[in-house]
Amino acid sequence: MTRRTGVFLYIILLALCFPHSFSAAENTTPSGIPIDDLEEFVDDYVEEYIGDTVAGASIIAIKDNQIVLSKGYGYADVENQIPMDPEATVLEWGSITKLFVWVSAMQLAEQGKLDLKEDIRTYLPEGFLAKLNYDDPITILNLMHHNAGFEDNIFDLLFDSPEHLVSLEEVLKTAEPEQVFKPGEVVAYSNYSTSLAAYIIEEITGQPFYEYVEEHIFEELEMNHSTMHLPMEDNQEMEFQKGKGYFPGENGGFIESQPFYISMYPSGGINGTATDLAKFAQALMLPDSENTSLFLENETLSELLTTSYAPEEGVPGLAHGFWEYDGEYRGLTHSGNTVAYSSNMQIVPEDNFAIIILTNQADEIDLLFGLTDKLVGRGDQTVQENLPLTSEIEGSYLSARRTYNGFMNLYAYLAPLHVKPINNNEIELNLAGFKATYTQTNPYVYKLKSGDDVFIPSNVMYFHENDGEIMQISTTYADYLPMDKNKPFLYISLGVFIWCVVYFLINPFILFVQAILQKRRKKKILMVTKWNWILTLSGTALAVNIVVLIIRMLNKPMRIYSDLLPHFIGNYVFSVTSFISVVVIIVLWRKNQLSKGRKIGYLLTCVSSILFIACLIIWQMYS
C-alpha cells in the first residue's frame, strides 16, 4: 500500500509540475479536452450556430499527424439540402491562400534564388513601384510581416464578373497603394504585399504563380481537390463540388451570394476541400523522423515556423507570414474571408495539434475563433506586480490598416477602437459595438479576459509607450495608431456635411415656390437670382452625387475604381460650377437692389456651398 501510495503521489506531482507533459500523455487537445471526447465536444459547440448563424462548416482536427476528427456540419447547399462534406465540398479559403505564397518564398530562399533580406526592387522590373515615399529598402520579410508601409486599397480587388479579371502584373500596377509608413515601423495587413511577393516569385521562376503552387505544393502533398487557378468555371468538376456561399438573412435565414472574382488571387484565391487543407497542415508538423516534402531540408521548415518578427519580447508576432497565437502552447494561425466564405487554420507544433474550420458563411467568427479558442486554450495569465496605470493608455485609436488617400479614408473614423480603464489593471475595449475586457499581465501587455469572439485573434495587445504617451498598439493583423482628429472636429464635420446635404436638397423647392410667386407678380428676374439658381442646383447635384456614391459603396464595397470615376468627375464639375457661381454672385451683389430676405438667402447659399466644398476637400471626396 505504501509503494502504491507513493507512485500515486508521484504521478500527481508530475501533473502539477508539468501539466503540459501530463496532458500530452493523456492524448488531449492543447486546452486539455480528451481526443476521445473531441467529436462530442465539437458537436455540442457547433449545435448553437449551425443552421442559425452558419449555413455549413467543414471541421478537421489533427493530433500527432493523424486526423482525429473530420466532419461536416450543416449544408453546402441550403436550398437542395446537400450536406457539408470535408472530403468532397470545395470552399473558398480566402487569406489562408497567403500561406502558400510564404511557403513558396521559403522554397526559393532555400535554393538560393531569393534573399529574404534583399530589396524587392532587385527582383522587379525597373520603375514597377511608382508610389513609394521612402528610400528605405522593402524586403520579402517586410512583405511577410505586412510592414512594408502600404496603405489599404479595396478597389480592383474583387469583381462580380470574370470579364474584369486581368493578369497579376496588371492589377499590381493599376491597384498600387501609396506607401504611407517607413518599412518596418507599422504592421498593417496587406493583400497587395502578398500578391507582390507572388509576382516576384513569377519573375524568378518564369511561370505563373498558380502553376508554381500546383507543381511544388499541391502535387507534392497530393492536394487533388484544390486549385488556385481562377476563374473556377474553368474547372467544371471542382465547380460542381463547390458549396454555395451565404450571407445572414432575416429570422435566421440565409441569402445566397453571387460569385465574385479576384485578380490578386495569391492573396485569397484558393478553392479546395478541408481535407486538402489538412494535408497542408500535416506537412507543416512532421515528426522529427520524417523528411519534409515541402523543402529540401527539414531545417527550412523549422526556420519557416520560427518567429521572424515580434513587437516586443514575449508578445506574439509573425513567423514568416504565419501569425503567432498565444494559446496553451504557441500557435501559428491564419484566417481568411472572401465575400461569402470564411476560414481558419491553426497549427500547434509543440503539441502536434491542428484545427481547420471552413465555412460557407460571410464573416463567421463564432466557429472560426470561438471553437478554436476552446480547443487550443489561452496562454499564461499570470499578472506581474507594480504595473503601469491603465489610465495611461485610455483613448481612441484607428487601425493602421486603412485607406489614407481618397474618400475611403472616412470609413476608419466610423469605427475607432476605444480603450477605457475599468480598474488599476483592466481595460474595456469597444470596437464598432463589440466589447472585451483585457487584463495587464506585463508592462503595457494586455491579455484577453472575456468578451466578443471577434477579439480572440488579438488576444494579446501591446501598447508602445514613449515618455508617457502611447505611440501605437500592436495587435494581430494590424497595429492601431492614436486618433489623429479630435471628437469636436469630427462632430462639427458631420454636422456641416448633414446641414449642406439637407440644405441643397430642400432649397430648390423653396426657390421654385419663390419663382412661381415672382412670376405671378410679374417681377423681373435679376441676373444675380439666375446665378443663385445655378449655385443651388450645383450644390444639389453635388449632394445627390455624394449620397448616391455612399449608397453604392454601402451596397457593394468591392468595386473597380473606374466604376466610381463618374462620381469623382461629377464632384469636380459641380464644385467648380459652384465656386464660379459664388464669385459671380459676390460681384453682382452690389449692382442689384436686393431685399433683406434675399440677401440672407443668397448669403446662406454661398456660405453653405463654400462649407460643402471645404468638407469634401478635407475628406478627399474628389478621388
Side-chain angles (χ1 to χ4, degrees):
M1 289 294 295
T2 302
R3 182 177 297 177
R4 290 181 179 177
T5 302
V7 171
F8 177 75
L9 291 175
Y10 179 69
I11 293 174
I12 295 296
L13 183 63
L14 282 177
L16 291 174
C17 296
F18 305 99
H20 290 169
S21 300
F22 187 78
S23 63
E26 288 296 308
N27 197 25
T28 68
T29 70
S31 64
I33 300 169
I35 295 300
D36 290 341
D37 300 334
L38 180 59
E39 181 174 357
E40 181 181 356
F41 179 88
V42 174
D43 288 349
D44 291 341
Y45 187 93
V46 304
E47 185 178 4
E48 179 181 351
Y49 306 104
I50 294 294
D52 183 16
T53 61
V54 187
S58 287
I59 300 176
I60 294 180
I62 300 168
K63 177 69 174 178
D64 296 332
N65 215 39
Q66 300 297 317
I67 293 178
V68 294
L69 172 69
S70 179
K71 196 167 184 179
Y73 297 88
Y75 295 107
D77 183 335
V78 174
E79 182 181 0
N80 295 305
Q81 301 283 282
I82 298 175
M84 191 71 75
D85 184 345
E87 294 186 3
T89 304
V90 172
L91 298 170
E92 296 178 7
W93 296 359
S95 290
I96 289 178
T97 303
K98 292 178 172 66
L99 299 179
F100 291 77
V101 177
W102 309 133
V103 168
S104 301
M106 292 297 289
Q107 288 177 337
L108 295 180
E110 181 184 52
Q111 299 165 30
K113 298 178 181 178
L114 177 65
D115 186 342
L116 301 182
K117 297 181 180 180
E118 180 67 58
D119 191 329
I120 60 173
R121 282 169 284 195
T122 303
Y123 305 104
L124 293 171
E126 184 71 26
F128 188 87
L129 297 175
K131 296 183 179 181
L132 300 182
N133 294 319
Y134 299 93
D135 294 329
D136 302 58
I138 299 173
T139 67
I140 293 294
L141 283 173
N142 289 136
L143 301 182
M144 285 178 166
H145 302 155
H146 300 271
N147 62 5
F150 295 121
E151 67 174 328
D152 200 24
N153 182 13
I154 69 169
F155 295 115
D156 297 307
L157 179 63
L158 295 177
F159 313 113
D160 57 6
S161 172
E163 67 184 24
H164 297 304
L165 289 174
V166 296
S167 69
L168 182 58
E169 178 182 8
E170 184 175 345
V171 73
L172 287 171
K173 289 181 177 180
T174 59
E176 180 186 354
E178 189 97 8
Q179 187 188 34
V180 294
F181 299 112
K182 185 178 291 188
E185 288 191 349
V186 176
V187 174
Y189 189 81
S190 173
N191 288 302
Y192 187 86
S193 290
T194 309
S195 291
L196 183 61
Y199 177 69
I200 290 172
I201 292 172
E202 285 192 347
E203 289 290 285
I204 293 173
T205 62
Q207 63 182 138
F209 182 68
Y210 66 84
E211 284 187 4
Y212 178 90
V213 171
E214 291 276 356
E215 180 180 344
H216 295 90
I217 301 179
F218 287 174
E219 290 182 9
E220 286 289 340
L221 302 182
E222 297 183 358
M223 297 170 61
N224 301 321
H225 299 91
S226 300
T227 183
M228 189 184 275
H229 187 203
L230 302 177
M232 274 284 290
E233 288 87 343
D234 291 349
N235 190 324
Q236 293 185 359
E237 180 181 353
M238 291 196 63
E239 177 69 13
F240 178 76
Q241 295 293 335
K242 185 171 181 178
K244 295 181 177 179
Y246 295 95
F247 299 112
E250 296 181 0
N251 302 319
F254 301 101
I255 301 173
E256 185 179 340
S257 168
Q258 296 300 311
F260 272 74
Y261 305 87
I262 180 171
S263 288
M264 283 193 205
Y265 67 89
S267 292
I270 292 182
N271 287 247
T273 64
T275 299
D276 271 7
L277 186 52
K279 292 179 181 179
F280 180 66
Q282 287 173 306
L284 297 171
M285 299 190 303
L286 287 177
D288 294 337
S289 59
E290 294 188 23
N291 294 323
T292 175
S293 56
L294 288 175
F295 302 104
L296 299 176
E297 302 290 341
N298 283 7
E299 287 75 10
T300 307
L301 176 58
S302 298
E303 181 185 356
L304 170 68
L305 304 181
T306 300
T307 302
S308 54
Y309 166 83
E312 178 71 6
E313 185 177 354
V315 176
L318 288 116
H320 301 90
F322 289 72
W323 297 93
E324 294 183 320
Y325 186 81
D326 183 48
E328 189 71 21
Y329 298 85
R330 171 178 176 265
L332 297 169
T333 184
H334 212 297
S335 61
N337 278 286
T338 59
V339 173
Y341 300 80
S342 45
S343 59
N344 193 33
M345 182 188 86
Q346 184 164 159
I347 63 173
V348 187
E350 294 175 24
D351 195 45
N352 297 307
F353 181 82
I355 178 68
I356 290 145
I357 304 173
L358 304 181
T359 80
N360 56 345
Q361 189 72 39
D363 300 318
E364 205 285 323
I365 60 174
D366 297 305
L367 297 185
L368 301 187
F369 306 136
L371 176 58
T372 299
D373 183 55
K374 295 294 184 184
L375 299 181
V376 302
R378 298 275 179 89
D380 183 18
Q381 298 282 336
T382 304
V383 177
Q384 284 189 4
E385 296 182 353
N386 302 318
L387 295 171
L389 296 175
T390 55
S391 57
E392 292 184 25
I393 66 174
E394 182 175 11
S396 297
Y397 303 84
L398 297 179
S399 173
R401 185 197 178 185
R402 62 187 180 94
T403 299
Y404 288 80
N405 298 281
F407 80 101
M408 289 298 292
N409 83 95
L410 176 63
Y411 276 49
Y413 296 91
L414 301 178
L417 175 68
H418 299 292
V419 178
K420 182 178 69 174
I422 297 177
N423 53 46
N424 290 337
N425 212 40
E426 292 184 340
I427 58 173
E428 179 187 78
L429 269 59
N430 188 326
L431 179 64
F434 294 102
K435 295 183 179 181
T437 300
Y438 279 70
T439 301
Q440 186 176 202
T441 58
N442 300 86
Y444 302 104
V445 176
Y446 285 78
K447 294 193 175 184
L448 179 64
K449 178 181 179 182
S450 61
D452 291 308
D453 287 349
V454 70
F455 289 96
I456 290 176
S458 299
N459 67 349
V460 179
M461 291 189 174
Y462 175 66
F463 291 76
H464 299 249
E465 180 269 344
N466 184 23
D467 293 332
E469 182 179 357
I470 300 302
M471 309 305 295
Q472 68 191 74
I473 308 173
S474 289
T475 74
T476 303
Y477 300 129
D479 290 352
Y480 280 82
L481 305 175
M483 178 83 79
D484 56 0
K485 293 179 173 62
N486 58 42
K487 286 185 179 180
F489 175 83
L490 294 174
Y491 288 137
I492 291 172
S493 296
L494 179 61
V496 169
F497 178 77
I498 292 175
W499 161 261
C500 293
V501 170
V502 172
Y503 180 83
F504 283 111
L505 290 180
I506 293 178
N507 201 39
F509 297 99
I510 297 175
L511 293 183
F512 182 72
V513 172
Q514 289 179 343
I516 293 176
L517 295 176
Q518 193 171 3
K519 185 176 181 180
R520 288 180 178 178
R521 296 170 185 169
K522 298 182 179 180
K523 288 187 176 182
K524 182 181 178 181
I525 300 177
L526 301 176
M527 184 60 68
V528 68
T529 301
K530 294 179 180 179
W531 277 100
N532 183 62
W533 262 102
I534 295 175
L535 177 59
T536 299
L537 293 178
S538 296
T540 302
L542 196 58
V544 170
N545 189 48
I546 295 297
V547 170
V548 172
L549 173 61
I550 293 173
I551 292 174
R552 292 186 71 197
M553 289 304 299
L554 290 174
N555 182 52
K556 192 176 74 173
M558 299 295 184
R559 293 179 177 273
I560 55 175
Y561 187 79
S562 59
D563 189 29
L564 302 176
L565 193 58
H567 290 286
F568 304 135
I569 294 174
N571 285 345
Y572 276 108
V573 172
F574 302 139
S575 296
V576 169
T577 303
S578 296
F579 180 77
I580 293 173
S581 299
V582 169
V583 173
V584 173
I585 289 173
I586 292 174
V587 171
L588 296 175
W589 186 276
R590 296 182 178 180
K591 295 183 179 181
N592 295 270
Q593 292 183 349
L594 302 172
S595 65
K596 185 177 180 179
R598 286 189 179 278
K599 287 182 178 180
I600 293 175
Y602 294 169
L603 180 62
L604 191 59
T605 303
C606 288
V607 171
S608 297
S609 181
I610 293 172
L611 288 175
F612 201 7
I613 293 173
C615 193
L616 299 185
I617 291 174
I618 291 172
W619 293 107
Q620 305 180 54
M621 298 296 291
Y622 295 96
S623 62

